[in-house]
Amino acid sequence: MNSYKKKILLLSILISFKTIAQKHKTDILVPYFKNNKWGLVTDSKTVKIPPKYDALIYIHPYYLAQKDSITDILDINGKSIGKNYLYVGEIKKDKSYLFIENASIHAQSNIYGENSINQYDSSFYLYKLENNQFTKLTDATSDALLANIRNGRLITPNFFFVTKNGLSGVYDIVKERYLIEPKYKNFHVPKGNYIIAYNDEKNIVIKHQNGTTLAKNASYLNKNIIEILDNGYCIITPEDQNPKKTVHHKLDLVSPEGKTVIKNGLNMRVLTDIGMIICQNETTLKEYERLYNYYDLKGNLLLTDVSEHKMSSPNLLGIFGKEYDKLNGLYNYKTRKMVWENSFTEKEKVRLVHHFDFGFSQIEVDTTFFFINDQGTNVMSIGGYNRSYNLYNRAKTIKISPPYNPEDPFKYKYLTALRTSEKKPFVIYDENYKKAENIQEFLGNSDQNIYAFKEFDKWKLADFDGLVLSDKYDSITYTKTDHNFRLYKNGQSQIYLRKAKKLIPVFDYDDAIGYEHHNYYLGIKYLEKLKRGDDYRSYKYLKCQVDLIDTKGNIIYSFNNDPDISISYALTATNQIVEYPEDNKYFHFRIHNTKTKEIKTMKERILSFENYKDMPVLVNLASDNIVDDHKRGLWNINKYEWIRTLTKENISYQSQEIDFYNEKERLNTLSLIEVKDNPDYKPDIFLREKSRRINTIIGYINIDGTFYTE
């Protein structure tokens, strides 16, 4: 075969593969709203499923479509894979979901308890949806669940009470196994993490939600148990008490062996964050004179006659006594020791600087600040009438926050820098009050996700989990306005966008604006210097040059601005540059069309943006006379058109980030939510079942301005 024929054959094969790939390409489908019905369209608004549903909800990679009270579950291509299953929530993110199906017979479980139990008057089967398949998790039916509330947030419940052949158990949907086998007739669920299942005194199991088991003990069958602590100790209501009907109620703390270790504890409360129990002193019932005794979780007395405590630094509590605002000392709640006691005279004014985000406890005595570690040692003092200025220059802390984790929401790292004079180097301490020997300096004095630090004479950029960039730098500073990081190396500088988490090569600019999902960015260069006495807040009043820069570093569009007020800038997905005031009392809202070079000035007042990860997509506008006519509307920045025209109706708008995606592509959108008054709301009803405002999804909008609603 000659070379020409080989090329033709190879070309034919490539065309065949391309055709097959195109035939099997999965379009990204977006909910589409028209004539009060929902359907599905492609990102270019090609209709795949005509609008026929009353409601349509997206849970990647599925759609829940409802019509005439029937729910149809659609796959990523819009094909039906099941009907009449009721959606409960997510089991594993973007992978598996929990559904239920009504059972024909109600098998009622016998549950008693103080915890968040939701029990229903019908039974249902539990199903998992994964890989387009519905799998029944257990043959037993369920009629109750343990509500999963973490830090005030309700998430998908893990544990369901199930019944089979007249006996009940508890099923864990995440681990897909029984926490308690269906062998029991009765359940008691007090506060805490334990579930008690029993038939009689001999047939009993006390199970923690993590799977551990307490030793069998008939004392746990006491119906007056209102809480079981993780160490097995119980809080019990005495026979003659009813906490729900008495203002000042008394409770007992009982050991697993049945021994009462705290008897008739008045207004007993468990402080889980510091691992203590407090009970009110019975001689101080009036609000202004209340004093408390503090115990550990086994009932051992730790502190007496405490009016209140304040978290003053990691591990340390400020303890206050009988007299108003009288600081008794600092208590280490981890070692259970009073590490510092207030021995100053009454003439000396002693104040606890209540600042939990600082790495050391700060005590102010007259004109001197003392910095106390978790051992009660005074590490440094700053005194004199210039102490506030000196404090700013000689002491600082950064609190490094991790990505949110509902299992451990209060997990942080700290770096604290102290120095005895401005001429001396900082001594750096970590969150355990230990010297960080290799760290010489860090940048900032606030709560941060990303931070810069100096180690072995080189600067690095890091977050809670480690280094953000592998390179080492000669210096790192903040930019002038948006607190991005400027990185210096070998005589050149770059800017790291802290929100977008992106390094961009803007060598000659004072600051930059960009987004993680957009490759273009704005470079800002100030053409004036600050006047004497001005601080960083005045930069946005200065004459400046704003450049739109592409991925190769080319300037696509540029303009100079000499504002009379403080002006901020933003960039949209279609490269519209927005000028807007930081204070919405000003009527300044301009948009630069970087393709046509036209500048549009809006006469309306800007209220707020609807953003996708900080990038503006829509803007809430009000009439220039909103005080009198109350008109509001929603405007599409990219398309220069109204989504909702100005109206006097009491309507506001919200948005939520939603990504539609398949194996290769991702479509970034916002779901638009209209918030309006509920006509059925009656403010004079004490127990209201109707909410005051109604939230309604009115459509989805791509970040480029494509609105999937007609």
Side-chain angles (χ1 to χ4, degrees), residues 106-113 115-124 142-147 160-163 168 185 187 189:
H106 179 203
Q108 185 173 358
S109 50
N110 184 23
I111 307 171
Y112 168 81
N115 216 330
S116 302
I117 302 295
N118 293 348
Q119 191 161 12
Y120 306 94
D121 55 6
S122 61
S123 296
F124 45 84
S142 175
D143 73 331
L145 59 88
L146 185 60
F160 286 78
F161 293 88
V162 297
T163 302
S168 300
K185 297 178 180 178
F187 285 87
V189 188

Side-chain angles (χ1 to χ4, degrees), residues 203-330:
N203 197 353
I204 178 176
V205 64
I206 307 100
K207 204 83 168 184
H208 195 283
Q209 293 178 22
N210 64 15
T212 59
T213 305
L214 286 178
K216 293 182 180 181
N217 191 329
S219 64
Y220 286 112
L221 296 181
N222 188 340
K223 286 288 187 73
N224 291 325
I225 293 176
I226 62 172
E227 183 170 0
I228 301 179
L229 308 181
D230 281 355
N231 62 2
Y233 282 68
C234 304
I235 296 178
I236 297 178
T237 304
E239 294 293 340
D240 59 342
Q241 290 286 314
N242 187 341
K244 296 181 180 180
K245 294 184 178 181
T246 57
V247 176
H248 299 292
H249 56 273
K250 295 180 180 180
L251 300 171
D252 295 341
L253 180 67
V254 179
S255 71
E257 297 75 28
K259 180 183 177 181
T260 301
V261 293
I262 300 178
K263 187 170 181 61
N264 291 330
L266 183 64
N267 296 331
M268 183 185 292
R269 283 189 295 136
V270 180
L271 307 177
T272 54
D273 55 338
I274 60 174
M276 292 187 188
I277 295 172
I278 64 172
C279 298
Q280 188 174 344
N281 191 321
E282 291 192 37
T283 62
T284 60
L285 296 181
K286 295 180 180 179
E287 185 173 357
Y288 64 86
E289 64 177 12
R290 290 178 182 172
L291 295 175
Y292 298 87
N293 295 331
Y294 283 56
Y295 303 84
D296 67 14
L297 298 183
K298 293 184 177 181
N300 297 308
L301 183 63
L302 302 174
L303 299 167
T304 59
D305 294 336
V306 177
S307 60
E308 66 172 328
H309 73 268
K310 294 179 180 179
M311 190 76 72
S312 62
S313 65
N315 303 356
L316 292 184
L317 304 176
I319 302 299
F320 293 82
K322 298 178 182 180
E323 299 176 29
Y324 174 74
D325 207 26
K326 172 64 187 273
L327 178 66
N328 285 353
L330 296 176

Side-chain angles (χ1 to χ4, degrees), residues 335-346:
T335 62
R336 303 292 193 228
K337 293 179 180 179
M338 184 73 81
V339 295
W340 180 88
E341 294 189 20
N342 181 4
S343 59
F344 291 95
T345 65
E346 294 183 1

